[in-house]
Amino acid sequence: MDIESPEKLIELLDRHAYLADEGLATAAFLALKMGRPLFLEGEAGVGKTELAKTLATLLKAPLIRLQCYEGLDAAQALYDWDFARQLLHLKAAEAAGITDVSRLEGEIYDRRFLIARPLLKAIETQPSVLLVDEIDRADDEFEAFLLEVLSDFTISIPELGTIRASRPPVVVVTSNRTREVHDALKRRCLYHWLEHPSFDREVAILLRRLPDCTETLAIQVARAAERLRQADLVKPPGVAETLDWTEALLTLGAKELDPGRAAATLGAALKYREDVSTVLGNGLLTHG
């Protein structure tokens, strides 16, 4: 798909109910045009992962997601051999009387026995969108490995040789900034910090994503979310939580945000007991 400008990308994202501002759209547009990974950093729930999903949809490309976590290593991100199938093949060969060791070794390390993990899958799939989600949760060693892969989109498999992407995937790397990511990885990417949306943009997001939501309810929920983000909370609500909160209210048939229903559904917006206590104790839901 030929996207000729950031403004055109804003329009295309809007068609898929993702409302991007000019800064984010420009960063995403440049990443697409320059073939560079897009590094998105910001609080959880501000729309980083959702952007990757929406880009995959509008580009008509599969989304391949690598969810990062502590202890993630190269094998879990790249590929693995299907030992169970290899063993079955060896047993079948033994039953058939095949004893040629070189032949058997060549057969069991055939491509059909290779399990492609997200990074290899993204390199072999054209086009594709690779989402490296929450890189800040991975270890330093994995960061260094990822930097190497993103430099040339080439993977060497000793038994098979080198696999190179004929068309590099669109790459979106996200971080919730639970720790600082090394500068070397950031330098490889185009960087953008996602803020919580403005009040008007959040109202627009609620109305766009939840067609049954009244304008009154959208305004009241967005205003309440704005207050919660200004409070001293462990985890202020992001857009994702605001959407969940509004959907919960709609499920209960709410047309407006009254304090009783707001308190009853607060678990859709806040995920820590301390935050719920702070909000209820300080009467943050009773303000207009």
Side-chain angles (χ1 to χ4, degrees):
M1 175 182 291
D2 185 28
I3 302 172
E4 61 271 17
S5 68
E7 291 74 23
K8 181 62 176 179
L9 182 56
I10 289 175
E11 178 188 331
L12 291 171
L13 291 170
D14 180 73
R15 291 180 191 173
H16 293 88
Y18 189 97
L19 306 184
D21 61 24
E22 184 179 0
L24 176 58
T26 300
F29 170 78
L30 291 174
L32 292 173
K33 287 297 183 182
M34 297 168 64
R36 298 278 294 279
L38 176 61
F39 190 102
L40 298 177
E41 201 165 40
E43 299 289 339
V46 294
K48 303 184 295 296
T49 299
E50 194 63 29
L51 176 66
K53 293 178 179 179
T54 308
L55 284 174
T57 300
L58 69 87
L59 294 173
K60 294 181 173 60
L63 176 73
I64 300 172
R65 182 173 184 169
L66 173 60
Q67 181 62 53
C68 298
Y69 52 88
E70 186 178 353
L72 177 66
D73 61 26
Q76 293 162 317
L78 274 178
Y79 66 89
D80 207 350
W81 289 104
D82 191 336
F83 296 117
R85 289 189 63 208
Q86 287 174 319
L87 183 59
L88 285 173
H89 182 77
L90 288 175
K91 288 182 175 180
E94 182 182 4
I98 299 173
T99 58
D100 186 334
V101 175
S102 297
R103 174 185 168 182
L104 288 174
E105 185 175 342
E107 287 180 352
I108 64 171
Y109 287 110
D110 185 76
R111 180 64 182 83
R112 60 188 163 140
F113 296 118
L114 191 72
I115 302 172
R117 303 300 185 195
L119 292 181
L120 177 57
K121 194 178 296 183
I123 285 175
E124 289 186 317
T125 305
Q126 288 88 36
S128 65
V129 175
L130 172 63
L131 168 61
V132 182
D133 216 6
E134 298 183 329
I135 185 62
D136 52 317
R137 296 186 181 276
D139 302 325
D140 292 350
E141 293 78 7
F142 183 78
E143 255 190 68
F145 160 73
L146 180 64
L147 177 62
E148 182 181 345
V149 172
L150 295 183
S151 296
D152 55 12
F153 295 101
T154 299
I155 291 175
S156 294
I157 301 175
E159 298 86 354
L160 295 178
T162 299
I163 298 177
R164 179 175 287 102
S166 57
R167 178 181 173 186
V170 174
V171 180
V172 177
V173 182
T174 76
S175 168
N176 294 336
R177 207 172 187 179
T178 58
R179 68 169 178 85
E180 287 295 335
V181 175
H182 289 185
D183 288 343
L185 180 58
K186 286 186 176 181
R187 283 198 301 270
R188 180 69 186 84
C189 307
L190 296 177
Y191 177 86
H192 186 77
W193 173 268
L194 262 73
E195 298 280 1
H196 289 292
S198 66
F199 172 77
D200 289 340
R201 184 173 296 277
E202 188 150 31
V203 170
I205 291 171
L206 292 174
L207 292 174
R208 186 63 188 278
R209 297 294 292 270
L210 300 169
D212 293 335
C213 182
T214 64
E215 186 172 357
T216 298
L217 181 60
I219 289 172
Q220 291 174 337
V221 171
R223 188 173 291 131
E226 196 172 52
R227 287 199 304 274
L228 296 182
R229 289 171 192 147
Q230 293 168 357
D232 185 21
L233 301 181
V234 176
K235 170 60 180 72
V239 180
E241 287 76 26
T242 307
L243 284 164
D244 286 345
W245 196 12
T246 307
E247 187 173 1
L249 290 162
L250 290 172
T251 302
L252 294 175
K255 302 297 182 183
E256 296 183 350
L257 184 67
D258 62 82
R261 275 186 173 158
T265 55
L266 195 54
L270 302 179
K271 309 302 178 181
Y272 288 87
R273 179 179 61 83
E274 297 88 342
D275 288 347
V276 173
S277 298
T278 297
V279 170
L280 296 180
N282 293 332
L284 295 178
L285 299 179
T286 59
H287 298 292

